Amino acid sequence: MSATPEAVTTSRSPAASAKGRWLPVGLAQAKITGGFWAPRQLRNGDSAIPSGQDQLETAGNLQNLRLAAGIGEGEAIGPVFADSDVFKWLEAAAWEYGRNPSEDLLKRQRELTAIVAAAQRDDGYLDSVVQLRYGDEGRYKQLVWSHEHYCAGHLIQAAVAQVRCTGDRELLDVAVKVADHLVATFGEGEGKTVDIDGHPVIEMALVELYRETGTAAYLDLAKWFVDARGHGIIKEHGHEPTYFSDRVPIREATTVEGHAVRAVYLAAGATDVALETGDAKLLEALKGQFADMWSTKTYITGGLGARWEGEAFGDEYELPPDRAYAETCAAIGGIQWAWRMLLATGEAFYADAIERMLYNGFLAGVSLKGTEYFYVNPLQLRGAAHADNNRSPAHGRRGWFDCACCPPNIMRTLASLDGYLASSSDGAVQIHQYAAGTLTVGDATLTVETAYPWDGAVRITVDGSVAVELRIPAWADGATVNGSAVAAGTYARVEADVIDLQLPMATRVVAADPRIDAVRGCVALERGPLVYAVEQVDQQANVDDLHLLPEAAVAASHDGGLLDGVTVLQTRGRIGTGHQGGWPFTSDAADSVGDEVDVVAVPYYAWANREIGAMRVWLPRG
Amino acid sequence: MSATPEAVTTSRSPAASAKGRWLPVGLAQAKITGGFWAPRQLRNGDSAIPSGQDQLETAGNLQNLRLAAGIGEGEAIGPVFADSDVFKWLEAAAWEYGRNPSEDLLKRQRELTAIVAAAQRDDGYLDSVVQLRYGDEGRYKQLVWSHEHYCAGHLIQAAVAQVRCTGDRELLDVAVKVADHLVATFGEGEGKTVDIDGHPVIEMALVELYRETGTAAYLDLAKWFVDARGHGIIKEHGHEPTYFSDRVPIREATTVEGHAVRAVYLAAGATDVALETGDAKLLEALKGQFADMWSTKTYITGGLGARWEGEAFGDEYELPPDRAYAETCAAIGGIQWAWRMLLATGEAFYADAIERMLYNGFLAGVSLKGTEYFYVNPLQLRGAAHADNNRSPAHGRRGWFDCACCPPNIMRTLASLDGYLASSSDGAVQIHQYAAGTLTVGDATLTVETAYPWDGAVRITVDGSVAVELRIPAWADGATVNGSAVAAGTYARVEADVIDLQLPMATRVVAADPRIDAVRGCVALERGPLVYAVEQVDQQANVDDLHLLPEAAVAASHDGGLLDGVTVLQTRGRIGTGHQGGWPFTSDAADSVGDEVDVVAVPYYAWANREIGAMRVWLPRG
C-alpha cells in the first residue's frame, strides 16, 4: 500500500476536492433553511429515510448482510447488487445527519454499520449476496454482472459521508479494508487481476476515499479502472461492450453511450481522476463528451437515457418523449458528473445543467410526500397506457422497486443538496443554485432570501467581506444585479452588503432542434428553471388530442394550495380530432381542427401527485 | 384419446381448413412461375434452405437432438427453444418440396426427421434441450420460459407440412406421439396439469394436426390452451402477464399487447379454433382485436411491435420509426393471423393486410441474395447509429442470430407463399395476391401474367368454367376490370376467358393520423403495395437532414439493373440544417431552410442491400 500521510478532504460534502478551480462548501456551512427545498429535505429526513430502512428490512437487503455475518440461516434474497441499496441508505443517513443531527438517526446508522462490519470477511472482501450464493470461490467470477465493485463503491461513499458528517470511523474502517483488498487484487502486476466491474461507481468512490485518507493507492486504482475500460475486457468475457461503457477508451470517446447510469457514473469518476491528477487531456475529453450528451442526448427535463432496452442512451437526437427512460438514477449521476465538471472548470454551463436536472428530471422521481418514487421518467404518458412492468410510470410512483436503486439514491441526493449550492475560491464565494438559506465561508456569512423558482428575486445579505459570484442562468436574458444588467450564462461578480438579483421569469415557449424527430411540430413550456407538463386532471379535453394555439398568450399565476404550491401556466389550445379508426396512413391524414379549450400546465416535477393519467411535456402546436 | 375417423385436410397448404368461407388452394394447384416472387422462391430453395441446414449444424441445434437421441456426448447448446429452429427448417423444406420436389431435399428432410424421431422419449415427450439440461424430472417445470409447447407446436407444423407435401409419415408419427402426450398431460381433469406455455404457437399446430388426422382431442386441447389464457396462470408463476398475452382472456381482449410474436401467434391459433368450432363470438372478438391492431399499433410497413423492450406492442399510436422493433417473425405471424381471418370472413381487408405485411415488413427481413436476415425492421436508421446488439439493424442483415427464430421462419413463409395466393368456394376462385403463375381449381386452370408490383396490369386467362373474384386493394381507387370500374377494398367478381385487371400505380404521398406522435409533420411515399424508403447511398444530402418539398412532383421510373430491378421514385427536397450543436431546446429552434436537392426513394424491402447507412421511410415535409 503506497500510503501518503495527508488527507485532502476540504469539506463535509460530496466530491470534496481541493484541486478544482473552486472548492465545495460543506453541509452546515451551506444550509438550506426555507423556501422550495427545505420542506423537501424535511420529508426526506423525517419520512423517506426511516421508511427506507423499513423497506430494506422488508426486501431482505439487511437480512442478507446479517446472514453473511453468520446471524441466522437462509439464502440471499434479491438482486446481486442488494448491498448497494443499504450503502446508499447509509450515505443518505450520514448526509442527513450532517445537515440535521439527531440521536435517532445516529443510532440507526450505527446499527446498520455494525451489521455491515460483521458481514465483512477477514481479508476485507464484502458482498453479502456473493458470499451467500457463491462462497469465497465465487468472488469476481462474473464481474461484468456481479456488481461487486459497484457495491464496494457505494460502501466507500457511505463511509466517507459518515466520517465527514458524524465523525464515526467504523464504516470507514470497513471501507478501507475493502479498498485495500481491491488494491491488492486488481490492476497490473504479479498476482493481480485485470478486470473491471460491469457497473462503474468504484472510480468516484476510490477518489473520495483517497481524499479522505490521503492513500494514493486508491487514486491510482481509480485511475487504473478508468483507463482499463474500452480495451476489450468485457468483450473478452463474451459481452457486447457498449452497454458497459467499454466500447472505446474514455479518453477517445466523443459521446456517451450504452447504459446511461453506468456511463455517467464512469464519467463522473473519470472527472474525479482528472481533477485529482491534474489530467487536462482527460478533462478535455470529458468536456467534449458532456457537451455532446447535452446537445444531442439529453431531454428538456435533463433526463438521460432514451431507451428502455438496456436503460440506455440512444443515438444522437433519438429522444422519444413517450418511451423516455430517463432513469432517476441517471439524473443523479448527471448531477454528480456536472458538479465535478463545475468544480474543475468554473463554467456556468455545468451549474445550469445541474439546475435543469435537479428541478425536473431528478425531482420528478419523488412524490410530494417524499416516499413514492418513479424509476422511469417519461415526458409523455398516453391516456390508454397500462402498466406492464414493475417500473411502468403508468403505475404512478411506487414505494419501492424490485430493483431499488433509485429510492435511496434520491435520499442521498436530497440530504446532501446543500453541498451543491455554492463553492468558494480565494476571497470569493460562488452561488450556483438559489435556495433560501445561509452560507458561511471563512469569516463571511451570507443570508439568501428567495421564493425561487416561483419568483426570480433573490436577496443576498452579506455579513463580512467576500466577493459574491452569482450564476446567471443561460435562460435568464435580462437579469440584473442591484439594478445593473448582467450577462446570462456567466457568473456575475459583485461585492456589496446587500445584493438584489432579479431573474426574469417570463414563460418560454420552446421548440426542439429539428433533428429531434420525436417532437417535430411540438413546443414545450418553461418558466425559470422549470419545465412544465400538461396533466389530464387539469384539462377540459383529452391530453392525447390536445394542440396548443400558436399565438395564444401564456398566463402564469401562483396557486399556494395546489401541489404544495406551484405557479400554474394557462393558455389556449384546441382539440385535434384526427382520424376515427381505420388504417391511419392516408393521403388526407391532416389533422382536423376541433374546438378551442383552456390548457393548464403544472411543473413537470409535480405530475402524478393527484392521479395517474395522460401527461405531455411536448404538445403539438397548430 | 377421443379419435374421430375422418381427416378434414383440404389442401397442401398452411391452415388447410374446410370450415371457412373460403378454402385454401394448395401448393402445386397455386403455382408461382415468374415475376416478382419466383426468383425469391428460387433463392430460398437453392440457397437459403441448404445454408440454413448448415447454420443449424454450426449453431448446435442438430447436435442437441443427436445428443438427446444418445448419439455422442455433450451438453445442450443454445437457447431453450433451439429445437424449434430445426422444426421450422423442416417445415420450410416440406413446403419447398411441395412446390418444387427434389431428391436432394427429400433426402435432407429424411435425415433430419430420423434425428428428431430418435430424440423422442418413449412416452412421446420431445425437447432436446430440456432432456439434456434437466432430464425427465425437469419437464414442464418452467413452462413460462421453457418453450416446450412452442417447440412441440413447430414440430407438429413441420410434420403436417411434410405429410401434405411429401406423403412421408415419419415426422407425423413423432408429432402424433407428442400431441397425444400433451393431451394426456395438460388440461382439466384428474392427473392433468393446468398450465400454459409462455410462448403460443401450439394452438395453431394442434388445430392443423386435427385437420390432418381428424383427432378431435387435438382441437379440444387447442381450444383449452386458448381459453386457459388470461386467467392468471402466468401471474401465479410470479410473472407480469402482459408480455405473455395472459393479462385478459382472448375473448375479452379489445387489442393486442405484450410480446408481438406471442400475441399474433396466439390470435392466429384462436382464429383456427374459431374456424373449426364455428365459434362466431370468438371470431368477433378476434375481428375487433385485428382492427384495433391495424388502426393503432401497425407500422405503415405492416411491421408489428413498437418496442425493443419485451419485443412488444406499444400503447396505441406509439409507433416510433427509429425504434420500431417490427420483428420479422411478427410480420409472419401477422400474415398467418390475417390469412385465417380471410378464410373465415372473406373480407378483402385481411388480404390487403397480408399484401402490406408481405411486401414490406416481411420482405425487408431477407436480403436480395436470400441468405442474410434482419431480425428487427426499423423505419429509420440515423447516420451515426452504431450496432450495439446482435440484432441491431446497424449491422446490416446477418447470416444468423443467437436467437435464430427469424431465418427459418422466413424460409417456411417463402416456400409456402403459393398457398396464400388464392382460395376457392363453390364455383368461384378468389385471387388475393397477384403473382405470375397458374391456378388449378377443379376443372379450371387460370394463368396469371403480371409484372406486379411494378406494373398494375394483371391478365388472367381462364381455361375452364369458373367465376373469378379479384381483390381490389383499398389503395387502388380507379381500378378497372375489363374496362369497367370496380370498387377498391372489395372483391370484383367476373366470368370471362380473359380478364384484364388494371390497378392504378400512381405514387401516393401519405401522412399519419395525428395521434401518431412520432411521425408528426412527416410523409411517406407509397406506390402500389410498396412502401418506399430513402437510403443514404442514393442521396446528395444527409438523410438525417432531409426534408421533402411539399409541392414537388414524384416521378417513377423502373430501373432493371438496380436492386434486382425496382421502380425508383424521384422528387425534390431540401436540407434542413437545424441547429449546430449546443442546447437543442430553444425559443427559436425553427428549422432553417437549406439548399434544394434531389431525393431518390427505393422500395423499403430493398434497403440495406448495397451498404448500411442512414434510412428513412418518414420524411419531414416542409
Side-chain angles (χ1 to χ4, degrees):
Chain A
M1 209 95 327
S2 58
T4 54
E6 218 176 331
V8 292
T9 297
T10 59
S11 77
R12 296 162 64 179
S13 75
S17 176
K19 297 282 183 64
R21 176 163 165 193
W22 292 331
L23 305 181
V25 175
L27 312 190
Q29 279 77 49
K31 201 156 175 47
I32 294 167
T33 56
F36 184 81
W37 289 106
R40 290 179 162 79
Q41 289 190 307
L42 188 69
R43 286 189 288 269
N44 188 52
D46 284 0
S47 301
I49 291 177
S51 84
Q53 187 179 354
D54 296 341
Q55 296 279 10
L56 293 168
E57 198 64 83
T58 307
N61 307 61
L62 293 172
Q63 181 65 5
N64 287 345
L65 285 158
R66 285 195 200 97
L67 291 174
I71 305 162
E73 278 183 25
E75 292 181 359
I77 299 174
V80 287
F81 45 82
D83 285 359
S84 67
D85 297 335
V86 176
F87 303 149
K88 276 191 275 191
W89 183 93
L90 275 165
E91 186 187 341
W95 298 127
E96 179 61 21
Y97 187 88
R99 49 171 297 283
N100 184 27
S102 92
E103 277 309 307
D104 174 62
L105 192 55
L106 194 62
K107 188 164 156 280
R108 288 168 179 268
Q109 289 176 76
R110 287 177 173 168
E111 279 172 13
L112 264 62
T113 297
I115 297 170
V116 172
Q120 187 168 37
R121 305 283 294 155
D122 288 342
D123 65 355
Y125 183 89
L126 172 54
D127 188 307
S128 75
V129 177
V130 171
Q131 288 166 226
L132 293 168
R133 287 199 187 138
Y134 311 112
D136 286 354
E137 295 306 299
R139 293 180 184 184
Y140 307 127
K141 285 287 180 286
Q142 302 187 59
L143 202 43
V144 66
W145 281 121
S146 69
H147 290 70
E148 285 161 281
H149 292 179
Y150 173 81
C151 289
H154 280 299
L155 168 66
I156 291 168
Q157 290 185 326
V160 167
Q162 191 176 97
V163 72
R164 285 181 188 160
C165 293
T166 70
D168 279 3
R169 300 189 68 85
E170 279 71 13
L171 199 59
L172 189 70
D173 291 342
V174 176
V176 164
K177 279 172 68 181
V178 163
D180 289 348
H181 171 76
L182 292 176
V183 166
T185 308
F186 290 93
E188 313 281 349
E190 197 168 323
K192 293 198 183 184
T193 302
V194 173
D195 208 352
I196 51 175
D197 194 292
H199 200 316
V201 92
I202 187 67
E203 302 81 1
M204 269 191 278
L206 284 168
V207 177
E208 279 280 75
L209 191 62
Y210 156 72
R211 291 180 186 129
E212 196 56 43
T213 62
T215 305
Y218 304 150
L219 177 61
D220 293 345
L221 185 59
K223 182 176 179 307
W224 187 85
F225 280 139
V226 165
D227 284 326
R229 279 194 124 75
H231 295 285
I233 291 177
I234 283 177
K235 206 166 183 175
E236 278 165 28
H237 291 311
H239 300 273
E240 207 292 322
T242 304
Y243 174 88
F244 304 99
S245 289
D246 194 39
R247 191 177 66 90
V248 287
I250 196 158
R251 291 167 188 278
E252 296 168 24
T254 56
T255 187
V256 286
E257 61 183 28
H259 187 268
V261 177
R262 282 166 164 83
V264 294
Y265 278 12
L266 176 66
T271 309
D272 271 332
V273 168
L275 253 169
E276 298 305 326
T277 61
D279 189 334
K281 271 195 160 171
L282 178 56
L283 187 64
E284 206 55 37
L286 290 159
K287 281 177 79 165
Q289 291 159 34
F290 196 107
D292 191 75
M293 174 179 84
W294 206 248
S295 60
T296 72
K297 298 183 178 179
T298 301
Y299 284 98
I300 191 171
T301 56
L304 303 173
R307 297 181 180 175
W308 276 67
E309 176 77 12
E311 306 185 308
F313 284 110
D315 291 324
E316 58 178 20
Y317 303 113
E318 179 193 326
L319 292 166
D322 49 357
R323 291 298 284 173
Y325 201 71
E327 184 179 337
T328 306
C329 286
I332 292 169
I335 291 168
Q336 293 177 326
W337 184 16
W339 176 243
R340 286 155 177 80
M341 295 299 289
L342 178 65
L343 294 179
T345 66
E347 293 176 14
F349 166 72
Y350 297 108
D352 278 5
I354 290 172
E355 180 176 72
R356 184 172 292 276
M357 293 188 274
L358 188 62
Y359 279 96
N360 303 287
F362 163 73
L363 192 55
V366 58
S367 69
L368 295 180
K369 283 190 201 159
T371 48
E372 295 83 33
Y373 310 96
F374 271 141
Y375 192 114
V376 173
N377 295 281
L379 284 76
Q380 176 180 7
L381 186 71
R382 289 186 178 82
H386 79 266
D388 56 4
N389 185 298
N390 185 258
R391 301 167 196 175
S392 287
H395 281 295
R397 294 185 189 79
R398 313 195 89 180
W400 213 245
F401 300 95
D402 297 346
C403 170
C405 50
C406 298
N409 219 358
I410 292 168
M411 293 172 204
R412 69 179 181 138
T413 304
L414 283 172
S416 62
L417 187 60
D418 315 64
Y420 294 97
L421 299 183
S423 62
S424 69
S425 61
D426 239 8
V429 56
Q430 297 81 38
I431 302 185
H432 306 298
Q433 308 301 336
Y434 298 107
T438 57
L439 276 170
T440 311
V441 178
D443 301 332
T445 299
L446 289 68
T447 305
V448 180
E449 296 164 274
T450 184
Y452 193 82
W454 311 123
D455 192 295
V458 183
R459 167 163 292 189
I460 299 159
T461 311
V462 182
D463 180 8
S465 174
V466 70
V468 181
E469 295 175 331
L470 301 168
R471 177 178 63 95
I472 312 302
W475 52 260
D477 267 333
T480 61
V481 173
N482 288 351
S484 301
V486 289
T490 67
Y491 286 86
R493 187 181 173 99
V494 56
E495 296 184 51
D497 293 339
V498 177
I499 303 168
D500 277 312
L501 167 65
Q502 288 286 348
L503 297 171
M505 297 303 260
T507 302
R508 305 186 301 281
V509 181
V510 302
D513 184 302
R515 287 171 295 195
I516 301 176
D517 295 295
V519 294
R520 176 167 289 108
C522 292
V523 293
L525 302 175
E526 294 184 309
R527 183 174 181 276
L530 299 177
V531 175
Y532 276 70
V534 166
E535 269 199 292
Q536 189 59 62
V537 64
D538 295 313
Q539 313 311 319
Q540 300 169 327
N542 278 336
V543 164
D544 291 348
D545 298 332
L546 205 54
H547 294 228
L548 287 189
L549 293 184
E551 304 307 328
V554 183
S557 60
H558 198 74
D559 184 343
L562 183 68
L563 296 163
D564 287 357
V566 292
T567 296
V568 171
L569 302 182
Q570 289 181 282
T571 186
R572 293 282 286 170
R574 65 176 181 80
I575 302 167
T577 51
H579 283 206
Q580 299 300 332
W583 181 244
F585 307 110
T586 60
S587 304
D588 54 359
D591 191 22
S592 54
V593 177
D595 293 342
E596 285 197 15
V597 289
D598 286 329
V599 177
V600 174
V602 297
Y604 170 72
Y605 76 74
W607 87 282
N609 274 289
R610 290 167 291 178
E611 60 181 49
I612 189 75
M615 181 276 293
R616 295 187 78 127
V617 168
W618 291 101
L619 284 111
R621 177 162 57 175
Chain B
M1 207 95 329
S2 57
T4 54
E6 217 177 330
V8 292
T9 297
T10 57
S11 77
R12 295 163 65 180
S13 74
S17 177
K19 299 281 183 67
R21 178 162 164 191
W22 292 333
L23 306 181
V25 175
L27 311 190
Q29 278 77 50
K31 200 156 176 50
I32 294 167
T33 56
F36 184 81
W37 289 106
R40 290 179 163 78
Q41 290 191 307
L42 189 69
R43 286 189 287 269
N44 188 53
D46 283 1
S47 302
I49 291 177
S51 84
Q53 187 179 354
D54 296 342
Q55 296 279 11
L56 292 169
E57 198 64 84
T58 306
N61 307 60
L62 293 173
Q63 181 64 7
N64 287 345
L65 285 159
R66 285 194 199 96
L67 291 173
I71 306 162
E73 280 184 23
E75 292 180 0
I77 300 174
V80 286
F81 46 82
D83 285 358
S84 67
D85 297 336
V86 175
F87 303 147
K88 276 191 276 192
W89 183 93
L90 275 165
E91 186 187 341
W95 299 126
E96 179 61 19
Y97 187 87
R99 49 170 299 282
N100 185 26
S102 92
E103 277 309 309
D104 174 63
L105 193 55
L106 194 62
K107 188 164 156 280
R108 288 169 179 267
Q109 289 177 74
R110 287 176 174 169
E111 280 172 14
L112 265 61
T113 297
I115 298 170
V116 172
Q120 187 169 35
R121 306 284 293 153
D122 289 342
D123 65 353
Y125 183 88
L126 173 54
D127 188 308
S128 75
V129 177
V130 171
Q131 288 166 226
L132 293 167
R133 287 200 185 134
Y134 311 113
D136 286 353
E137 295 306 300
R139 293 180 184 184
Y140 308 125
K141 285 285 181 288
Q142 303 186 58
L143 202 44
V144 66
W145 281 121
S146 69
H147 290 69
E148 286 161 282
H149 293 179
Y150 174 81
C151 289
H154 280 299
L155 168 65
I156 291 168
Q157 290 186 327
V160 167
Q162 193 176 96
V163 72
R164 285 183 188 160
C165 294
T166 71
D168 279 3
R169 301 190 67 86
E170 279 71 16
L171 200 58
L172 189 70
D173 290 342
V174 176
V176 164
K177 278 172 68 181
V178 163
D180 289 347
H181 169 77
L182 292 177
V183 166
T185 309
F186 290 93
E188 313 283 349
E190 198 167 324
K192 293 198 182 185
T193 303
V194 172
D195 207 353
I196 51 175
D197 195 292
H199 200 316
V201 90
I202 187 66
E203 302 81 1
M204 268 191 280
L206 285 170
V207 177
E208 280 280 73
L209 191 61
Y210 155 72
R211 291 181 185 128
E212 197 55 44
T213 62
T215 305
Y218 306 150
L219 177 61
D220 294 344
L221 184 60
K223 181 176 179 307
W224 187 84
F225 281 140
V226 165
D227 284 325
R229 279 194 126 76
H231 295 286
I233 291 176
I234 283 177
K235 206 166 183 177
E236 278 165 28
H237 291 310
H239 299 272
E240 207 290 323
T242 304
Y243 174 88
F244 304 97
S245 290
D246 194 40
R247 191 176 67 89
V248 287
I250 197 159
R251 290 167 189 278
E252 295 168 23
T254 56
T255 187
V256 287
E257 61 183 28
H259 187 269
V261 178
R262 282 167 164 81
V264 292
Y265 278 11
L266 175 66
T271 309
D272 271 332
V273 168
L275 255 170
E276 299 305 326
T277 61
D279 189 334
K281 270 194 163 172
L282 177 57
L283 188 64
E284 206 55 36
L286 290 160
K287 283 177 77 164
Q289 292 158 33
F290 197 106
D292 191 76
M293 174 180 83
W294 205 248
S295 60
T296 72
K297 297 185 178 177
T298 301
Y299 285 98
I300 191 171
T301 56
L304 303 174
R307 298 182 179 173
W308 277 67
E309 175 77 12
E311 306 184 307
F313 284 109
D315 290 324
E316 57 178 22
Y317 303 113
E318 178 192 327
L319 291 166
D322 48 357
R323 292 296 285 172
Y325 201 71
E327 184 179 337
T328 306
C329 286
I332 292 168
I335 291 168
Q336 294 178 324
W337 184 17
W339 176 244
R340 286 156 176 78
M341 295 299 289
L342 178 65
L343 295 179
T345 66
E347 292 176 13
F349 166 72
Y350 298 107
D352 278 5
I354 290 172
E355 180 177 73
R356 183 171 292 275
M357 293 188 273
L358 189 62
Y359 279 97
N360 303 286
F362 163 73
L363 192 55
V366 59
S367 70
L368 295 180
K369 283 189 201 159
T371 49
E372 295 83 32
Y373 311 96
F374 272 140
Y375 193 115
V376 173
N377 295 281
L379 284 76
Q380 176 179 8
L381 187 72
R382 290 188 177 79
H386 79 266
D388 56 4
N389 186 297
N390 184 258
R391 302 169 197 176
S392 286
H395 281 296
R397 294 187 189 77
R398 314 195 87 181
W400 212 245
F401 300 95
D402 297 346
C403 170
C405 50
C406 299
N409 219 358
I410 293 168
M411 294 172 204
R412 68 178 181 138
T413 305
L414 283 172
S416 60
L417 187 59
D418 314 64
Y420 294 97
L421 299 183
S423 61
S424 69
S425 60
D426 239 8
V429 56
Q430 296 81 38
I431 303 185
H432 307 298
Q433 307 301 335
Y434 298 107
T438 56
L439 276 171
T440 311
V441 178
D443 299 333
T445 299
L446 289 70
T447 305
V448 181
E449 296 165 273
T450 184
Y452 194 82
W454 312 124
D455 192 296
V458 182
R459 166 163 293 189
I460 300 160
T461 312
V462 183
D463 181 6
S465 175
V466 70
V468 181
E469 295 175 330
L470 301 167
R471 178 179 62 95
I472 312 302
W475 52 260
D477 267 334
T480 61
V481 173
N482 288 352
S484 300
V486 289
T490 66
Y491 286 86
R493 186 181 174 97
V494 56
E495 295 183 52
D497 293 340
V498 177
I499 302 168
D500 277 312
L501 168 65
Q502 290 285 348
L503 297 171
M505 296 304 261
T507 302
R508 305 186 301 280
V509 182
V510 302
D513 183 303
R515 287 170 294 195
I516 301 175
D517 296 296
V519 294
R520 176 169 286 109
C522 291
V523 292
L525 302 175
E526 294 184 308
R527 184 176 180 275
L530 299 177
V531 175
Y532 276 70
V534 165
E535 268 199 292
Q536 189 59 60
V537 65
D538 295 313
Q539 313 310 319
Q540 301 168 329
N542 278 335
V543 164
D544 291 347
D545 297 332
L546 205 54
H547 294 228
L548 288 189
L549 292 184
E551 304 306 328
V554 183
S557 59
H558 198 74
D559 185 341
L562 183 68
L563 295 163
D564 287 356
V566 292
T567 296
V568 171
L569 301 181
Q570 288 183 284
T571 186
R572 294 283 286 172
R574 64 177 182 79
I575 301 168
T577 50
H579 283 204
Q580 299 299 332
W583 181 245
F585 307 110
T586 61
S587 304
D588 55 359
D591 192 21
S592 54
V593 177
D595 292 342
E596 284 196 16
V597 289
D598 286 329
V599 177
V600 175
V602 297
Y604 169 72
Y605 76 76
W607 88 282
N609 274 289
R610 291 168 291 179
E611 59 182 50
I612 188 76
M615 180 277 292
R616 295 187 78 128
V617 168
W618 291 100
L619 284 112
R621 176 162 58 175

